[in-house]
Amino acid sequence: LAWTPVKQLPESAVYDALKAANIPNIPLIIDSGIIIENSFGYRVEYLLIEDCGVPLVEYLQTQMLLGISKQSDIAASAMFQAVECIYSAWNAGILHRDITADSVVVKGDQVRIIDWGYTKLVKDGPVDVDALATKWLFNKDNATGDEGSSAPIIGTPLYTSIPVLVGATQRSIADDVESVLYVTIDALYKQHANPPIDGMVGVKFSCSKSLALMRGGCLSDVDFYRQSFGVPYSSERFTWLTDTFREYLFIRNGEYIGSKLSTQSRFERTVEIQQLERILEQIKERIQSEARSQNAPSNTSRALGNIPDRNAPPATKHTLEEASSLALPVETPA
């Protein structure tokens, strides 16, 4: 049950749009609706969803006996699933905007992305905003738009992208991917950091602009940035995946743009959606190749091998849940 501003898109409406677009890695909605449409500028909304498990950081703690290398592989698989979800949502015209440690959760062998309550719909995107607004009783003008004085900046600073930290008023999927990167590295750092590791300035928050400046500096060094986030060592897969997303986010035409992002609120980072699509395909191909070389269909490769063609007819719910999952490589300690 939620008491939310009427200017905010109802979370029930977002899940309705996600389901209609066949987005992977979202929770099953059992029931939802609007109880009170508008009471002094707020609505009362109810949302009943399946048990989605626990946040990634807590899940990794249950796998501690496997060692940091296996935990890193699990984190890498979770990162892929999360990005695949928000990429699919972006293609459907839906932007999450509030990826945090609590919104990337794990149950069984699958990640779910939850907490879509601060979503915006992409302007002129595929979502039929008029039909959605009529069904869910909201002002369609509030469903899209930039983040200005009438739509305050949303997000938990520790997981918020550098551009938003310095006051950018428009977001894209790149900002959500950046948040996924921070959530995943932070979850792995918390498996290392007892006691805390020296030099981990990437996870120290004093204010939004200082955090942006520190991260802009940390991420400039491809060989050191993970250590500055408290992860001095990790598996080869995790290293490759974080490096790949770092390049997508912070390299344009061979130039590192993190410094500009952290100091210029009006500097615009291009979305490069085709590059992101290629990255996701490369990840699938790489893990499939690893499975073939091992001559054994691991959980990870089996799930990847069944990812449906985007041009194929929509899968049934059961098949979609299996197919869209990059299963986490969980093993039982000896």
Side-chain angles (χ1 to χ4, degrees):
L1 195 64
W3 181 262
T4 57
V6 294
K7 289 186 176 181
Q8 190 172 305
L9 189 64
E11 190 169 7
S12 300
V14 179
Y15 278 116
D16 196 8
L18 291 167
K19 181 180 178 181
N22 219 17
I23 304 303
N25 298 91
I26 59 170
L28 172 67
I29 305 303
I30 299 169
D31 196 14
S32 62
I34 305 296
I35 299 174
I36 299 175
E37 182 181 351
N38 190 339
S39 176
F40 302 101
Y42 286 82
R43 76 168 66 85
V44 179
E45 166 185 13
Y46 74 92
L47 183 64
L48 182 62
I49 67 175
E50 66 173 331
D51 175 13
C52 295
V54 298
L56 175 61
V57 62
E58 294 181 23
Y59 183 83
L60 289 178
Q61 288 168 357
T62 69
Q63 307 297 313
M64 192 168 293
L65 291 179
L66 299 178
I68 200 65
S69 179
K70 290 297 184 183
Q71 287 176 301
S72 300
D73 282 345
I74 293 171
S77 297
M79 192 187 315
F80 170 81
Q81 288 190 49
V83 174
E84 174 82 349
C85 175
I86 61 175
Y87 162 78
S88 300
W90 171 263
N91 278 348
I94 303 165
L95 183 64
H96 190 290
R97 298 199 314 145
D98 190 29
I99 299 290
T100 70
D102 291 327
S103 57
V104 180
V105 296
V106 182
K107 184 179 181 183
D109 66 353
Q110 191 177 53
V111 166
R112 296 279 197 279
I113 302 299
I114 61 173
D115 296 338
W116 294 80
Y118 290 107
T119 292
K120 286 281 190 179
L121 304 179
V122 178
K123 249 180 209 178
D124 304 318
V127 175
D128 187 340
V129 181
D130 289 328
L132 201 65
T134 299
K135 179 178 180 180
W136 291 101
L137 308 174
F138 65 88
N139 185 336
K140 67 178 183 179
D141 294 332
N142 296 327
T144 62
D146 298 343
E147 299 182 49
S149 57
S150 62
I153 290 175
I154 298 301
T156 303
L158 195 60
Y159 309 110
T160 300
S161 70
I162 290 175
V164 176
L165 285 174
V166 298
T169 58
Q170 195 167 19
R171 297 198 198 197
S172 73
I173 186 175
D175 297 288
D176 277 1
V177 172
E178 189 177 340
S179 292
V180 170
L181 178 67
Y182 297 147
V183 166
T184 313
I185 293 179
D186 181 66
L188 194 57
Y189 140 69
K190 287 173 180 172
Q191 314 310 311
H192 282 280
N194 190 17
I197 298 166
D198 291 337
M200 51 185 195
V201 295
V203 294
K204 292 180 179 177
F205 176 76
S206 55
C207 71
S208 295
K209 291 189 177 180
S210 65
L211 180 61
L213 286 170
M214 284 190 291
R215 287 191 166 167
C218 292
L219 287 157
S220 66
D221 189 337
V222 69
D223 297 318
F224 182 75
Y225 74 93
R226 275 177 297 271
Q227 184 169 334
S228 70
F229 281 85
V231 181
Y233 45 86
S234 57
S235 67
E236 189 276 337
R237 177 180 291 178
F238 185 84
T239 299
W240 174 75
L241 202 57
T242 50
D243 285 350
T244 299
F245 284 123
R246 172 194 170 274
E247 181 176 352
Y248 163 70
L249 292 166
F250 299 109
I251 304 296
R252 293 292 182 272
N253 299 319
E255 177 189 357
Y256 176 72
I257 62 170
S259 300
K260 292 180 180 178
L261 290 173
S262 64
T263 56
Q264 303 174 31
S265 62
R266 295 188 180 182
F267 181 82
E268 185 175 345
R269 172 168 55 188
T270 54
V271 173
E272 306 295 342
I273 196 67
Q274 291 182 338
Q275 181 186 357
L276 181 58
E277 188 173 64
R278 287 194 298 270
I279 287 170
L280 294 174
E281 290 302 321
Q282 288 169 4
I283 295 168
K284 298 171 191 177
E285 291 169 4
R286 175 173 175 139
I287 298 179
Q288 287 172 334
S289 176
E290 288 175 1
R292 286 193 296 268
S293 68
Q294 295 169 2
N295 198 27
S298 67
N299 286 341
T300 304
S301 62
R302 181 168 62 249
L304 268 178
N306 290 329
I307 288 180
D309 188 323
R310 295 192 180 279
N311 297 319
T316 64
K317 180 178 181 302
H318 175 70
T319 304
L320 178 64
E321 287 185 350
E322 292 178 341
S324 64
S325 167
L326 170 57
L328 301 179
V330 179
E331 298 179 12
T332 303

